[in-house]
Amino acid sequence: MSNITFPFKRYTITSALPYANGPLHIGHLAGAYIPGDIYVRFLRLNAKDVVYVCGSDEHGAAITIKAKKEGTTPQAIIDKYHAQIKESFEQFGISFDIYHRTSEKIHHELSQEFFLNLYEKGEFIEQVTEQYYDEEFHQFLADRYITGTCPNCKSEGAYGDQCEKCGTSLNPTDLINPISTLSGKPPVLRETKHWYLPLDKYQPWLEKWLLEGKKDVLKPNVYGQCRSWLKSGLQPRSMTRDLDWGVDVPLEEAKGKKLYVWLDAPIGYISATKQWALDTGNDWEKYWKKQPDAADDACLIHFIGKDNIVFHCITFPSILHAHGEYILPENVPANEFLNLEGDKLSTSRNHAVWLHEYLNEFPGKQDELRYVLTSILPETSDSEFTWRDFQARVNNELVAIFGNFVNRVLVLSHKYFDGKVMPVNHLTDTDRLIFSELERYPKHIAGSITQFRFREALAQFMNVARLGNKYLADSEPWKLIKTDEERVKTVLNVSLQLAANLAIMAQPFLPRTAQRMFDMLNFSAHGWQDAGSNTLLPAGHQLGEAQLLFEKITDEQVNAQLAKLSQAKEANANITKDVPEAKNNIVFEDFVKMDIRAGKILAAEKVAKTKKLLKLTIDTGLDERTVVSGIAEFFSPEEIVGRQVSILVNLEPREIKGILSQGMILMVEDADGRLDFVAPQTTVQTGSVIR
RNA sequence: UGCGGGGUGGAGCAGUUGGUAGCUCGUCGGGCUCAUAACCCGAAGGUCACUGGUUCGAGUCCAGUCCCCGCUACCA
């Protein structure tokens, strides 16, 4: 039997709130939900007092923008995706005690309570700044919704935060002739007041609590991120925004302003718990607030992806700390990112495996995806999902090792003993060895799970099935049945005990499969304390019918998925983006000022430590000169040497990364940002004038 | 450029406090036939990115270099 010690009486577990402006994909599942669910199911199997909460994050500008684009309301958007996301979670067995939503009244009230608590304590810094305001739409504009002329390169269409042409990062007020993308009219500057949380003030406390207290608790990737942030010094963060979709700031003077995400989304964890407590007659404060005796405090754990580390390790704890009555997270086991077939998952480019589509295309195979994702969780570094790997893991591991063992045992039992568990006659040394090995697994697996090493835990679990297959191969009951039926009874009894153990230990990882096994073994669900026992199934127990737990993934299924991804890629390439607006007319004299020539690339090399820059040596017909060009992402130095190009030769030279660039290569940029050379169709004499 | 993470047999990864380098898949050979051509055994395959250093001993600690990923900068 396993004796695992749990230092806490109570557990509050959260998984990141998904943003309700789109469906979920496998990256979400692998980042925050599968790890959280395995952990929670494991705690429950150990009869721990645990609440697992999550919900949709339903506020913010992105949702209003999406609504506008689709000609609908924010409410319709969040209703649609909240329902879809909730359904996906249910289907994959992510066992939240409650899946709530931040648009609920109880959440608005609690967020406002938090704000007022901090406000009345005088925690906030109030600051008035000038922001652009759209008079027609009666709202302040987010940086990205203002465009204008870049003060640096003079190109038009620069955004309020950055000019995409020259890369300079900007403030909206830097733009020349700013235009609101909402109304198409120039915005006006207007003063607005906001409430800032002085993170700098909490820095000493954070350094103590986090850098000292969590050094050996947090994973290296999480700890490193936080240390990096603290090292560069924290700045006050605005807790309010001029938005029109969110929780109202509960102050008379802040009419029309909303709480920003920091004081909205994470409070969702708490409001969800509150609602759960109301529904079930529990006391939510026991899960979130400091108890009179600190030994009674709950253990708070946030499961998130790496994009959320700073938010959960610095901002939210600071808020909880400033409030004072709340417990702080014990750990934040953030995962890195999951890639798909060599590329980043991308919602906008539709490079993803969507959960709602998977459910349609692989009905009943939720545990297969859970298994594969668990075995490749990006726990220490980014990892990769490929459909070939998915197929290999399902076929070679789930089907061949696990499913096959269970099937063998049941088929043999039905064949020889009508599906009855036979008594053990005499245990050989081999049998005892099997039992003693079996006994070790629950502890190993528990140790891995409590350390958030879920891949390792799952691999250990599979070793139990391997142990069973080896035992059968070594014992050869199909041969023994002809000579020694008594021995076969014992062998099958031992094998069945292994299978029953597999059912128990599968529960955190493969909940549907575990249930099917319980049904098949005609055996009720058991807690973790029973794992490791070799007397789970008593002699005379009647087993159910044998069914296959898993079936193979075919090449056709894999190919169909691969085809789907490349179709998405193609469709993507064909999207016609908005063609930039025409610039103002210029006179012919302006045009002829430009001296453009046909040149030839004599040499090319990557500029060290840059991503985009190539240093080119160009024969212009007039001279040989150096040009630095931002094309390294699309062209390797080798492939372009000798190539004919168009070069603007009388452009004022400029130093880039310490290299003097004399001129500019003419490139054309297509919709997805790909560059290509603009050059004569046939080889012309180097130095020929282009006009 | 700054910060963080990572670089381990063909592929994907483990290696906790320094003490003979492991796992899964793949490959090759063998065994078995109860089982979804599934299972079991064995073998080949690694100068643990590189260079120095600490140490009796380093994948593991220290310093430096290179490469990959994320955020950041560089596109004249």
Side-chain angles (χ1 to χ4, degrees):
Chain A
M1 306 291 135
S2 54
N3 286 311
I4 312 143
T5 51
F6 294 90
F8 292 90
K9 283 189 182 166
R10 213 173 297 112
Y11 289 80
T12 308
I13 314 294
T14 75
S15 283
L17 304 189
Y19 195 55
N21 75 335
L24 294 174
H25 56 59
I26 54 173
H28 295 116
L29 220 46
Y33 306 104
I34 284 180
D37 187 59
I38 293 173
Y39 194 78
V40 164
R41 284 179 184 270
F42 175 74
L43 290 176
R44 292 198 193 110
L45 284 170
N46 283 283
K48 303 316 288 183
D49 181 357
V50 48
V51 63
Y52 185 26
V53 299
C54 193
S56 300
D57 172 13
E58 305 185 305
H59 297 138
I63 281 170
T64 39
I65 297 295
K66 191 176 175 84
K68 225 163 251 170
K69 216 185 264 174
E70 295 185 5
T72 178
T73 61
Q75 188 66 44
I77 295 283
I78 64 173
D79 285 348
K80 172 181 166 188
Y81 290 115
H82 172 74
Q84 187 179 42
I85 291 167
K86 189 166 190 239
E87 170 71 11
S88 288
F89 281 142
E90 275 167 18
Q91 284 295 317
F92 279 99
I94 307 299
S95 58
F96 302 125
D97 289 296
I98 181 169
Y99 187 76
H100 201 237
R101 52 193 306 189
T102 60
S103 55
E104 292 284 353
K105 189 166 170 240
I106 191 171
H107 171 75
H108 281 234
E109 287 170 355
L110 187 66
S111 297
Q112 293 176 331
E113 220 177 286
F114 250 87
F115 179 89
L116 284 176
N117 179 291
L118 301 190
Y119 178 80
E120 279 157 16
K121 283 193 182 118
E123 289 291 323
F124 293 123
I125 298 170
E126 299 179 9
Q127 208 168 313
V128 177
T129 53
E130 286 203 322
Q131 303 281 338
Y132 274 122
Y133 183 86
D134 188 316
E135 290 181 303
E136 194 173 313
F137 277 69
H138 305 292
Q139 59 179 272
F140 283 94
L141 295 163
D143 294 353
R144 277 168 40 223
Y145 303 118
I146 307 164
T147 64
T149 306
C150 172
N152 190 24
C153 69
K154 313 292 184 219
S155 71
E156 290 174 39
Y159 291 109
D161 53 350
Q162 188 181 1
C163 170
E164 303 218 319
K165 283 282 175 296
C166 71
T168 312
S169 61
L170 304 168
N171 286 315
T173 44
D174 296 337
L175 291 172
I176 303 164
N177 301 327
I179 297 288
S180 161
T181 56
L182 295 182
S183 63
K185 292 186 177 158
V188 296
L189 277 174
R190 189 177 276 201
E191 287 196 337
T192 178
K193 181 173 183 177
H194 284 291
W195 285 261
Y196 291 72
L197 190 69
L199 290 179
D200 47 330
K201 183 177 134 189
Y202 310 132
Q203 171 129 8
W205 170 77
L206 278 165
E207 282 173 0
K208 191 150 192 289
W209 172 69
L210 217 153
L211 289 188
E212 287 177 35
K214 296 294 176 192
K215 195 171 172 49
D216 301 314
V217 177
L218 296 173
K219 305 202 299 180
N221 58 334
V222 177
Y223 186 80
Q225 268 304 319
C226 297
R227 195 181 47 194
S228 158
W229 267 70
L230 288 169
K231 216 162 105 187
S232 57
L234 300 178
Q235 300 298 319
R237 284 237 168 187
S238 170
M239 293 291 127
T240 57
R241 281 286 156 109
D242 293 296
L243 293 170
D244 56 359
W245 184 246
V247 179
D248 291 327
V249 177
L251 295 176
E252 197 46 49
E253 62 171 312
K255 254 196 138 135
K257 296 181 195 295
K258 301 285 189 268
L259 295 179
Y260 195 38
V261 60
W262 321 108
L263 258 180
D264 177 352
I267 310 295
Y269 297 140
I270 308 173
S271 58
T273 312
K274 227 175 148 175
Q275 183 63 52
W276 164 80
L278 277 176
D279 297 343
T280 57
N282 276 287
D283 177 6
W284 71 273
E285 297 196 348
K286 283 191 164 175
Y287 295 87
W288 279 99
K289 291 203 169 172
K290 291 176 183 163
Q291 300 299 302
D293 177 358
D296 292 334
D297 285 355
C299 173
L300 174 61
I301 297 177
H302 298 301
F303 286 89
I304 56 168
K306 72 170 161 187
D307 49 330
N308 254 328
I309 289 175
V310 175
F311 190 10
H312 284 79
C313 293
I314 292 179
T315 318
F316 188 42
S318 293
I319 291 170
L320 294 172
H321 169 69
H323 186 290
E325 292 171 23
Y326 284 81
I327 56 171
L328 297 166
E330 197 57 33
N331 206 335
V332 181
N335 270 351
E336 301 284 302
F337 285 150
L338 185 75
N339 294 323
L340 168 62
E341 302 284 352
D343 272 319
K344 276 204 293 187
L345 281 160
S346 164
T347 301
S348 56
R349 290 192 332 225
N350 195 21
H351 183 66
V353 177
W354 300 106
L355 298 189
H356 62 285
E357 293 186 0
Y358 177 92
L359 288 166
N360 279 333
E361 288 158 30
F362 295 92
K365 296 203 189 308
Q366 289 91 323
D367 277 359
E368 281 84 336
L369 188 60
R370 278 184 71 121
Y371 176 83
V372 172
L373 289 178
T374 304
S375 61
I376 59 170
L377 287 176
E379 289 172 351
T380 52
S381 56
D382 291 356
S383 64
E384 173 140 340
F385 179 95
T386 67
W387 282 106
R388 290 274 166 230
D389 182 65
F390 172 79
Q391 179 187 35
R393 287 182 191 274
V394 171
N395 293 1
N396 302 333
E397 299 177 25
L398 277 184
V399 173
I401 312 274
F402 179 23
N404 186 37
F405 170 66
V406 174
N407 188 44
R408 293 170 85 181
V409 178
L410 278 164
V411 166
L412 285 169
S413 294
H414 279 284
K415 194 176 271 186
Y416 300 149
F417 305 115
D418 298 322
K420 276 209 165 53
V421 179
M422 291 290 121
V424 167
N425 290 307
H426 169 71
L427 286 177
T428 63
D429 287 350
T430 312
D431 301 337
R432 290 182 209 284
L433 206 65
I434 294 286
F435 283 151
S436 75
E437 281 225 26
L438 167 65
E439 218 181 303
R440 284 206 288 270
Y441 278 102
K443 273 184 219 135
H444 281 170
I445 296 172
S448 300
I449 292 178
T450 51
Q451 292 175 80
F452 311 110
R453 298 155 74 128
F454 302 108
R455 286 196 310 211
E456 183 181 85
L458 184 68
Q460 297 269 8
F461 165 77
M462 286 301 285
N463 281 340
V464 179
R466 288 195 172 91
L467 182 70
N469 277 320
K470 179 167 166 52
Y471 177 68
L472 282 183
D474 292 347
S475 309
E476 300 184 306
W478 48 92
K479 278 190 186 165
L480 281 177
I481 193 67
K482 295 165 195 156
T483 57
D484 187 355
E485 191 178 309
E486 288 307 299
R487 175 66 192 143
V488 173
K489 288 179 180 171
T490 303
V491 168
L492 285 187
N493 183 297
V494 171
S495 303
L496 284 163
Q497 304 301 343
L498 282 177
N501 271 281
L502 278 169
I504 293 173
M505 290 190 274
Q507 291 174 100
F509 310 103
L510 309 169
R512 293 167 63 98
T513 304
Q515 190 52 52
R516 289 184 62 201
M517 288 178 73
F518 286 130
D519 294 345
M520 232 191 279
L521 294 169
N522 192 18
F523 172 60
S524 64
H526 281 55
W528 199 261
Q529 76 282 351
D530 292 322
S533 161
N534 55 41
T535 53
L536 291 170
L537 298 170
H541 179 80
Q542 177 63 50
L543 304 165
E545 282 303 306
Q547 304 164 13
L548 298 178
L549 288 177
F550 308 101
E551 41 188 44
K552 291 193 169 189
I553 303 295
T554 64
D555 288 344
E556 288 70 41
Q557 285 174 298
V558 170
N559 291 335
Q561 291 301 323
L562 291 174
K564 201 169 146 187
L565 285 175
S566 49
Q567 273 165 23
K569 215 171 230 173
E570 255 172 61
N572 226 354
N574 292 334
I575 288 175
T576 46
K577 283 216 181 129
D578 292 345
V579 177
E581 277 181 48
K583 296 181 186 175
N584 293 333
N585 283 353
I586 58 169
V587 293
F588 182 70
E589 286 69 28
D590 283 341
F591 173 71
V592 297
K593 282 179 188 163
M594 296 195 287
D595 188 348
I596 306 172
R597 307 284 181 121
K600 191 176 170 189
I601 300 176
L602 299 176
E605 60 176 290
K606 240 188 130 175
V607 178
K609 307 198 178 196
T610 65
K611 193 158 86 180
K612 300 181 179 174
L613 302 185
L614 286 187
K615 177 183 166 188
L616 308 175
T617 305
I618 308 288
D619 179 0
T620 62
L622 307 161
D623 53 15
E624 278 181 26
R625 55 171 79 188
T626 301
V627 174
V628 176
S629 189
I631 58 176
E633 286 178 300
F634 308 105
F635 298 98
S636 66
E638 306 81 61
E639 68 180 308
I640 59 170
V641 171
R643 199 163 175 155
Q644 190 165 259
V645 298
S646 306
I647 173 170
L648 178 61
V649 294
N650 64 335
L651 186 67
E652 195 63 43
R654 172 156 172 166
E655 192 167 300
I656 300 165
K657 301 301 278 182
I659 302 164
L660 191 66
S661 180
Q662 306 162 284
M664 175 169 170
I665 305 298
L666 266 49
M667 306 294 292
V668 60
E669 182 177 7
D670 78 3
D672 59 348
R674 278 203 69 85
L675 298 177
D676 202 357
F677 289 96
V678 177
Q681 297 292 303
T682 56
T683 305
V684 299
Q685 188 189 319
T686 300
S688 300
V689 175
I690 297 173
R691 55 196 165 94

